[in-house]
Amino acid sequence: MDLNLLTIANRANLGNRISKSIDYATSRITKTDNLTKKINDSTEFDSTEKLQNREFAIIGLTTIVEQFLNEVLHQVLVSHPKKFGNKKFEIDELMEEGSILELFYSKANQKLLDLAYGKFDRFISNFTTTLELDSEIDSDLVDTINEIKLTRDCIIHSDGKANDLYFSKAGTKARVSRNNEQLKVDMDYYKESVAKIKEFISEIKNKIPTKLLESKKSYIFKQMWEATCLNRRFKFNEVWNIQDAGMVRPININDDYGFSSSEMEVYNLFRYIYSASEEFKVDFGFYFQRWKPQSNEYQVALSWLNNQFYF
């Protein structure tokens, strides 16, 4: 059984989901920054209130970064379960989750949780490897983002003062030298933090491989076809034309190409994905009776049923 084939349909919108995560994080950072600057420039707030708002902004900005990283990593893991590595899944785990696909989601959540309690550079190393980024993220930039995160932790847990955990994780980026010393969150620090966070998101965006960003409906539809018996009869380009990343067109949707009854059900799956027409609705009872669970045809259909997309 090909684990990646079981989630092939999930990849039909992976590129769009990654791009949306990047755009959403960037938009939220900009909105937070604009509001913080507006409050800082206002005469209606005193210095204490402005400091508190900057601290709230640091908390919000680091949360946006973490949510972005977790979201993208989770999307890639559940779309490419082979990226879990040579991990063995227990029968009891499968029974508890109810399906192999739900198990993938559970394992992805657990991996994120495990990484969250480790050092930030370990998370980034795992993120880089899993996404197969075109090159490593600048280590000094990673260390800077890490320090901002640690400052956030100190704001929440120790009234903005450095603690043992801060020094154990900040390394050379530590901004103070003594325990219980206040970590300044003045406007200069805030502006530098925003600039580095924006640079960090931008660097990741520029390093995400094209194969992930172009993981879109038309190309996944083609890969699904090529994984089935239909491709041995007729190559994809003999039956379909790719118009763009989000649209394919049939050369002749009413041509049955001489397919057998079993092959026709597979063909109907593709015609139904394209048209959503009742005329091509799949008889999945017959389909799964004819095609066994270990077959590509079975796995492609199961993947689509769990992650349906249409044109």
Side-chain angles (χ1 to χ4, degrees):
M1 182 176 289
D2 186 341
L3 294 184
N4 280 342
L5 201 55
L6 274 175
T7 57
I8 189 169
N10 195 41
R11 299 196 286 278
N13 289 303
L14 178 60
N16 289 334
R17 290 197 299 270
I18 292 174
S19 295
K20 185 177 179 180
S21 293
I22 294 169
D23 293 342
Y24 185 55
T26 302
S27 173
R28 290 176 68 199
I29 290 166
T30 299
K31 288 178 181 178
T32 300
D33 186 33
N34 289 341
L35 179 59
T36 303
K37 288 177 178 176
K38 184 176 181 179
I39 291 173
N40 187 74
D41 293 340
S42 174
T43 58
E44 295 182 16
F45 301 93
D46 61 31
S47 59
T48 300
E49 291 170 325
K50 291 179 180 180
L51 170 60
Q52 186 177 56
N53 181 65
R54 287 194 299 273
E55 290 179 335
F56 286 159
I58 291 295
I59 293 171
L61 289 166
T62 51
T63 300
I64 291 169
V65 171
E66 290 171 341
Q67 181 181 358
F68 161 71
L69 291 171
N70 287 334
E71 195 172 75
V72 172
L73 184 56
H74 188 275
Q75 289 167 356
V76 173
L77 283 170
V78 298
S79 296
H80 294 273
K82 283 188 177 179
K83 290 183 179 292
F84 286 116
N86 296 321
K87 190 174 183 64
K88 293 183 178 180
F89 301 130
E90 300 294 334
I91 295 297
D92 288 347
E93 292 178 316
L94 180 57
M95 292 177 65
E96 182 178 347
E97 297 300 333
S99 74
I100 188 68
L101 296 173
E102 287 300 321
L103 183 57
F104 292 157
Y105 280 94
S106 176
K107 289 299 180 183
N109 289 335
Q110 186 59 54
K111 185 174 182 103
L112 292 179
L113 190 62
D114 292 343
L115 289 170
Y117 286 100
K119 290 189 174 181
F120 186 58
D121 58 355
R122 176 173 170 261
F123 183 104
I124 293 301
S125 175
N126 196 286
F127 184 91
T128 300
T129 301
T130 301
L131 268 69
E132 299 180 47
L133 297 185
D134 292 338
S135 60
E136 292 187 358
I137 303 168
D138 180 76
S139 59
D140 188 69
L141 180 58
V142 171
D143 290 342
T144 298
I145 300 299
N146 180 53
E147 194 284 324
I148 299 169
K149 280 165 46 64
L150 293 170
T151 294
R152 180 273 312 271
D153 293 343
C154 290
I155 291 171
I156 294 173
H157 299 295
S158 57
D159 197 27
K161 297 175 183 177
N163 54 27
D164 290 338
L165 188 60
Y166 176 86
F167 288 110
S168 70
K169 290 187 174 183
T172 59
K173 290 292 182 179
R175 296 190 290 124
V176 295
S177 56
R178 297 187 307 275
N179 237 336
N180 293 317
E181 190 172 347
Q182 194 72 37
L183 291 162
K184 288 175 60 177
V185 184
D186 55 18
M187 204 58 189
D188 286 341
Y189 177 77
Y190 168 78
K191 287 180 178 179
E192 179 67 13
S193 296
V194 172
K196 290 298 183 181
I197 287 171
K198 288 181 177 179
E199 181 184 348
F200 180 69
I201 299 291
S202 178
E203 183 160 340
I204 289 175
K205 177 182 178 179
N206 293 334
K207 292 178 185 295
I208 294 176
T210 302
K211 67 179 181 180
L212 287 182
L213 294 175
E214 291 188 353
S215 187
K216 298 181 179 180
K217 288 194 296 186
S218 293
Y219 309 124
I220 297 304
F221 186 78
K222 181 174 185 286
Q223 291 173 28
M224 289 167 66
W225 178 280
E226 291 173 341
T228 70
C229 60
L230 303 183
N231 197 59
R232 295 193 293 272
R233 298 286 307 279
F234 292 91
K235 299 301 181 186
F236 180 84
N237 293 336
E238 296 178 277
V239 184
W240 303 92
N241 285 322
I242 292 180
Q243 303 292 302
D244 55 42
M247 177 55 67
V248 300
R249 297 289 185 190
I251 293 174
N252 184 355
I253 198 169
N254 293 312
D255 193 339
D256 64 16
Y257 295 95
F259 290 136
S260 68
S261 59
S262 297
E263 292 169 336
M264 278 301 298
E265 285 305 315
V266 182
Y267 183 38
N268 280 340
L269 173 63
F270 288 92
R271 293 198 288 187
Y272 189 69
I273 293 172
Y274 168 72
S275 66
S277 170
E278 288 292 318
E279 181 182 357
F280 305 123
K281 197 165 186 179
V282 181
D283 180 354
F284 283 107
F286 173 78
Y287 191 112
F288 290 129
Q289 182 181 29
R290 171 59 185 87
W291 300 103
K292 303 306 179 185
Q294 65 269 28
S295 69
N296 286 4
E297 291 74 19
Y298 187 105
Q299 293 172 54
V300 164
L302 184 62
S303 175
W304 180 80
L305 283 171
N306 282 283
N307 298 278
Q308 296 180 24
F309 67 93
Y310 300 88
F311 290 97

